[in-house]
Structure formats: structure tokens, C-alpha cells
Amino acid sequence: MSEGYRVAVVGATGQVGTLMLALLRERGFPAREIVPFASARSVGRELEDGLVVRGLDEESIQGFDLALFSAGGATSGEWAPRFADASTIVIDNSSRWRMHDEVPLVVSEVNPDALAEHRGIIANPNCSTMQMVVALAPLHREAQIERLVISTYQAVSGTGRRAVDELLDQSHALLHEREIAAPDAYAHQIAFNALPHAGSFAPGEDHTDEERKLIDETRKILGDPSIRVSATCVRVPVLNGHSEAVNVQTRRELSPEHARELLDAAPGVTVLDDPAAAVYPLAIDASGQDDVYVGRIRRDPGHERALDLWIVADNLRKGAALNAVQLGELLDERGLIGSRAARSAA
Ligand SMILES: NC(=O)c1ccc[n+]([C@@H]2O[C@H](COP(=O)([O-])OP(=O)(O)OC[C@H]3O[C@@H](n4cnc5c(N)ncnc54)[C@H](OP(=O)(O)O)[C@@H]3O)[C@@H](O)[C@H]2O)c1
């Protein structure tokens, strides 16, 4: 038998899935076979790299070492446990398993040791949370975060491919002075607009699920349920790359200069902070890049133990596909892939 793992990519035709396939190759993940899965609509379709899409069924999911999921919560709810029962380690991009006590929620630079606690399913955080905690973890280790006030400016790619098409179609129509079709991906027109409604409102809820994810997932990843978090998530007409204005209040005093040093030394972070020269992170520059970019690092004039930051990253890369592949790499480095199959065979 040839070397390497047998890897399933579920949701392989989507934005995140396509990128996961590319990253597995580009980063030289030790796979002897990669099998793409998607919905019944795509079964039999040949992807750019020649791989042919398969459908999920009891037979087709057998014999994998690792499965990377990005096919929405319903698919993860149904199929991730079945892969796990077949001794496959699942890394899931949906929100379905993130807050389960038995499922570690892991960011490669922040809490990699949590991987060892997995029982078959590992969750990849929400994109807005992911990029934020990469930047906040070094500050939290140094000065203990007490409270966060977050406003996000989220790109349409975070909603999926149809939202990207909708922004482009609406923009094109408006620029050509044509009527736009009724909004489908969002409640209102997204082109030339800002929607204080990223995610969805459950009945009776005054926060969107996206805002709740930022609150709950941040506490779980940083391992501190006492951190107070206030979040407003806004969808903006940006194609790709989420931006976040974050007010960080710490228990110990932290100067902007020291925060800049900590962030400069942090893995996966690039500091871009020379506002007088108009240097700060921008979504269009972060798109297509792996790092989380931080700038506008400054003292909050309204609080002696608070800083303001501007954090930007590619929501499809570090916010989803890249972290999933990095978790796969960490599992490999730590000898954690295959150990489930070996354990259940023993
Ligand atoms: N976009 C982001 O920034 C981001 C960030 C973090 C996490 N995520 C999560 O990643 C997931 C995918 O996001 P995306 O932006 O890549 O969405 P997308 O472009 O709309 O792709 C969705 C993928 O899921 C597949 N799929 C849908 N229903 C399925 C089913 N019943 N069985 C098997 N496959 C099915 C689709 O296959 P077909 O092509 O056959 O329909 C497609 O491959 C979501 O759970 C999302 O919450 C996204």
C-alpha cells in the first residue's frame, strides 16, 4: 500500500471545499488519495484537478483516515458522526458541533493542544471568531482579556457562492441603471449598502446567530467563560475578506507599543500599522493571503485598560479552509491520525 492518508473532502464543489482541495495539494499534505464529496446535484462532476465528485452513502464513506467537511450544518449533523463511527477523524467547518462539550474547537495558533481531546469530531470555528482570536490570544496570555466590544464588516463570500453572485448581479444592474431582482441571499439589497444583519435571527432573539457564535466560540477557544463580549455583525458589499473593529479591555494594563510587539512576534499575524502613511489592513489586500492582519493599534481614550484594533483576514482561507488543513497537519505531526482506527481495532 502506498504511503499517506485517505482523505475525504465533503462540500468539495463549494467555495471553502474548493480551497481545501487546493491547499491540501499546495501545502503537500501527505494524502495518498483525496476523494471529493458534494450533494446529489454534483455527483459525477469532474473537478478541475480531474477528481470526480461522489455522493455520501454508507458504502462510499468507508476507509478514510481524515474527512474535511464544509457542506453546511445539516450535512455535518447527519454525516460527521457516521464518518467518526467508521474511525475517520472529522474536521468540520459548520457550526453544528462547535459548542458540544466533547468536541474541541481549535485554532492552530491558539489552542492546538485541544486536538488531543477529540473523540472523532473536531470543529473549526466561525470565520469572524477565527481571525479575531489569532490576534487576541497573545494579548490575552499577557494581560488577560476582560471585555471585548466587536463590530464586524463581513464580506459576502462568508454567506456562500450565491451571495457573491448576488452582489455582482445587483452592482452590475445598478451601474447600468437597471432594476435589481428581489434580494435572495439577504433580507435587503447588499450592493452599495451595509446590513446590520449578518447571520439570522432566531424567533425572539435580539442577536443574530453570527453574533452569538462570536460570543460563545471566543470564550471556548480562549478557555475563559468570564470574558464579556459584545458583538454587532454587519454584512458589507465586499467580495472577500472580513474586517473587524475590536475594543479590547484587559485586566492588566497593556500599552499599544507592547501589544504591537506581542502581535509582531505572534504566529500567523502580520502587523500593518502606520496610519499616517495610510498603512493599515484592507480586505482587498488580505484576500488570497494566509495571515491575519492587524493595524490601527491604539489606546482607547475612554478606558485606561482598553485598546482598539482593526483585524482583517481572508474569511475563506484562515477563516475556514486554511485552518482546517492546518489542523490536519497538526494531527499528522502529533501522530493522532490513524490512532482511532488502531485503537478501535485493538
Ligand atoms: N464561506 C465562509 O467564509 C465560511 C467560513 C467558515 C465556515 N464556513 C462553512 O463552510 C460551509 C460551506 O461554506 P461555502 O461558503 O463553501 O458554501 P458553498 O460555496 O455554498 O458550498 C456548499 C457546499 O456544500 C455542498 N452540499 C450542500 N448540500 C449538501 C448535501 N446535502 N450533501 C453533501 N454536500 C452538500 C455543496 O455541494 P453542491 O455543489 O453539490 O451543491 C457545496 O459543495 C458552511 O457550513 C459554512 O458555514 C464558511
Side-chain angles (χ1 to χ4, degrees):
M1 191 170 61
S2 57
E3 299 266 307
Y5 304 114
R6 200 162 172 255
V7 181
V9 175
V10 181
T13 52
Q15 300 181 109
V16 176
T18 303
L19 198 47
M20 290 196 302
L21 287 173
L23 288 170
L24 286 167
R25 290 231 155 71
E26 277 168 29
R27 295 172 67 92
F29 188 79
R32 71 171 190 279
E33 187 186 4
I34 297 176
V35 178
F37 289 91
S39 79
R41 290 179 290 275
S42 307
V43 171
R45 197 177 124 192
E46 189 174 326
L47 303 179
E48 267 176 28
D49 50 15
L51 297 176
V52 176
V53 175
R54 293 193 203 165
L56 294 163
D57 59 52
E58 275 311 325
E59 206 180 311
S60 66
I61 70 164
Q62 301 301 318
F64 289 96
D65 300 296
L66 188 66
L68 307 181
F69 267 66
S70 67
T75 305
S76 295
E78 185 179 351
W79 289 96
R82 297 193 192 182
F83 271 93
D85 285 346
S87 298
T88 305
I89 301 180
V90 173
I91 300 174
D92 182 33
N93 263 296
S94 81
S95 58
R96 177 65 178 79
W97 299 103
R98 289 181 192 146
M99 295 310 294
H100 272 243
D101 287 343
E102 292 182 355
V103 174
L105 181 63
V106 191
V107 180
S108 62
E109 297 87 348
V110 179
N111 60 337
D113 294 344
L115 284 174
E117 294 156 22
H118 84 83
R119 299 194 187 174
I121 302 177
I122 294 159
N124 216 32
N126 167 264
C127 41
S128 316
T129 311
M130 183 98 70
Q131 67 182 60
M132 187 180 72
V133 296
V134 171
L136 293 185
L139 310 185
H140 183 56
R141 277 183 214 116
E142 182 73 6
Q144 289 295 298
I145 293 171
E146 189 169 42
R147 181 165 194 252
L148 298 166
V149 182
I150 308 155
S151 299
T152 69
Y153 303 73
Q154 297 184 215
V156 294
S157 63
T159 309
R161 207 157 249 164
R162 79 191 167 104
V164 175
D165 292 341
E166 189 157 313
L167 171 60
L168 293 173
D169 290 346
Q170 288 180 357
S171 305
H172 193 260
L174 292 165
L175 287 170
H176 291 84
E177 297 179 7
R178 285 203 305 269
E179 290 277 308
I180 61 165
D184 174 41
Y186 301 111
H188 302 279
Q189 174 188 320
I190 182 66
F192 310 112
N193 209 355
L195 309 178
H197 183 171
S200 52
F201 290 100
E205 253 283 17
D206 58 4
H207 284 69
T208 65
D209 56 349
E210 191 80 1
E211 290 160 350
R212 292 282 176 211
K213 287 174 200 170
L214 258 178
I215 296 167
D216 297 338
E217 294 180 22
T218 300
R219 291 170 170 158
K220 179 168 176 176
I221 298 160
L222 294 180
D224 186 347
S226 74
I227 297 174
R228 286 178 291 158
V229 187
S230 165
T232 305
C233 292
V234 180
R235 189 72 62 187
V236 292
V238 168
L239 286 174
N240 191 41
H242 289 350
S243 305
E244 302 174 326
V246 185
N247 181 271
V248 188
Q249 185 179 316
T250 51
R251 292 183 200 280
R252 285 195 290 278
E253 200 180 325
L254 182 64
S255 70
E257 295 72 28
H258 191 32
R260 210 171 277 120
E261 281 167 17
L262 293 167
L263 289 165
D264 260 329
V269 175
T270 296
V271 174
L272 289 177
D273 197 18
D274 186 1
V279 173
Y280 29 68
L282 295 174
I284 54 171
D285 296 335
S287 182
Q289 305 298 320
D290 286 351
D291 267 8
V292 172
Y293 296 86
V294 188
R296 301 292 322 276
I297 303 164
R298 62 204 190 277
R299 164 76 57 223
D300 169 3
H303 197 286
E304 66 283 1
R305 281 181 289 103
L307 299 176
D308 282 300
L309 311 176
W310 178 247
I311 302 171
V312 181
D314 184 327
N315 48 294
L316 297 178
R317 284 181 95 89
K318 185 59 198 175
L322 175 63
N323 194 66
V325 173
Q326 286 171 318
L327 297 186
E329 291 167 351
L330 282 170
L331 288 167
D332 171 45
E333 279 161 35
R334 295 176 179 210
L336 292 169
I337 306 180
S339 55
R340 289 193 82 235
R343 268 205 303 272
S344 30

